[in-house]
Amino acid sequence: MAGADDRAVLVTGVSSGIGRAVAGALVARGVRVIGSVRTAADAEAFAALLGPSARAVVFDLRDAAAVAAAAAEARAFAPAGLRGIVNNAGIAVPGPLEHLPLADFRDQIEVNLTGMLAVTQAFLPHLSRGGRIVNVSSVAAATAMPFLGAYSASKAALEALSGSLRRELRTRGVDVVIVQPGGIRTPIWRKAGAADASALVGTPYEAPGAEFRQVALAAGESGLAAERVGALIARIVLDARRPRTRYLITPHPVTERLMRILPTRLLDRLIATRLGIRKG
């Protein structure tokens, strides 16, 4: 799929973090990019950063009409179609599930799961045979951390949906790949760490919730550079002849894989110890 090509790659959530890194990696290799943002100001910043090879489209994943309008705009920018779709945009809603407002939970699922499907449905007709869809998941899909239940649920469901989509799209010659980042320097974890925790004051979650916020902030400051993920996704879209169905990229791959094979009760105890959670 490498070489001269007038087709573009759609990347959602390019205002910062992994999405912007993916877009930068693709443009650096001479690939045209359509990047989604949520505000006109972000669109201007994206265009100024990457130049005429990139086009920003403005939409919120929850706005079906705006997503459809962006797909029509993409046709004008890339009439030859798309060679890839990178579903990266997402949010992380933190908090213990006992106290999490259901509206916030619904918002988490609407953005990270339903929004991903809405974008895929809208742009899939423009994806060429042999094209790639890369869905950005998280290590949280495999290891359900406390205080990230809504986020973990959205990413686990995204992976299940990705598997079904991959098997269905064999009929179109389109492959679907999951990328599982963990410990990446992106704003999403700074936002999670800075979330209002006043509702937890006086509850059993107050102290471990504060420790979780420190862990989230540390992950946002000391993880891998987003450019590492961007380069990986660019290779998956452009170079990999037979890509794996899932890629794990994290500063601590051995630890991450160990967490997935430890007895569940042992892992429960280790996580509880780390966050200072005492059994009631």
Side-chain angles (χ1 to χ4, degrees):
M1 298 178 65
D5 199 320
D6 290 333
R7 295 173 297 168
V9 175
L10 170 73
V11 184
T12 64
V14 298
S15 60
S16 62
I18 291 173
R20 177 169 289 188
V22 174
L26 290 168
V27 168
R29 295 190 53 181
V31 177
R32 306 176 83 197
V33 172
I34 302 164
S36 85
V37 294
R38 288 192 294 174
T39 69
D42 285 339
E44 291 178 8
F46 179 70
L49 180 68
L50 296 181
S53 293
R55 169 72 60 86
V57 290
V58 180
F59 64 79
D60 189 303
L61 293 171
R62 294 161 289 196
D63 187 339
V67 172
E73 187 176 344
R75 282 199 301 271
F77 178 69
L82 300 176
R83 64 195 300 180
I85 296 172
V86 179
N87 285 304
N88 162 75
I91 59 174
V93 176
L97 292 169
E98 181 179 358
H99 293 277
L100 189 70
L102 288 179
D104 290 353
F105 181 82
R106 291 189 179 101
D107 204 38
Q108 176 75 91
I109 299 301
E110 183 69 18
V111 172
N112 287 14
L113 183 65
T114 310
M116 182 276 287
L117 182 57
V119 168
T120 300
Q121 288 179 340
F123 286 86
L124 189 57
H126 314 304
L127 185 62
S128 303
R129 185 173 184 83
R132 301 270 162 78
I133 297 175
V134 178
N135 290 334
V136 179
S137 179
S138 168
V139 295
T143 305
M145 296 296 290
F147 305 103
L148 277 180
Y151 180 73
S152 292
S154 72
K155 292 301 188 179
L158 180 146
E159 294 202 6
L161 191 149
S162 297
S164 295
L165 190 63
R166 183 180 63 254
R167 289 163 182 159
E168 292 170 0
L169 292 183
R170 287 175 65 93
T171 61
R172 294 176 55 108
V174 169
D175 201 4
V176 179
V177 176
I178 296 164
V179 172
Q180 283 187 333
I184 310 299
R185 294 198 298 273
T186 68
I188 192 172
W189 299 118
R190 290 196 293 275
K191 294 175 184 177
D196 180 20
S198 59
L200 304 184
V201 174
T203 74
Y205 303 113
E206 183 177 359
E211 184 61 30
F212 161 77
R213 288 192 295 277
Q214 293 304 312
V215 170
L217 287 168
E221 296 297 333
S222 63
L224 295 175
E227 286 73 18
R228 291 274 299 275
V229 188
L232 170 63
I233 292 176
R235 290 196 301 271
I236 293 169
V237 173
L238 303 178
D239 302 325
R241 296 186 63 186
R242 295 177 60 86
R244 302 198 298 269
T245 59
R246 180 180 283 100
Y247 291 80
L248 172 68
I249 179 165
T250 172
H252 310 290
V254 174
T255 300
E256 181 61 38
R257 290 189 172 95
L258 180 61
M259 291 174 67
R260 299 180 186 196
I261 63 174
L262 284 175
T264 303
R265 294 295 187 186
L266 174 58
L267 184 57
D268 288 349
R269 290 196 296 273
L270 293 173
I271 292 173
T273 299
R274 175 65 182 84
L275 296 181
I277 298 175
R278 294 180 176 84
K279 198 169 184 179

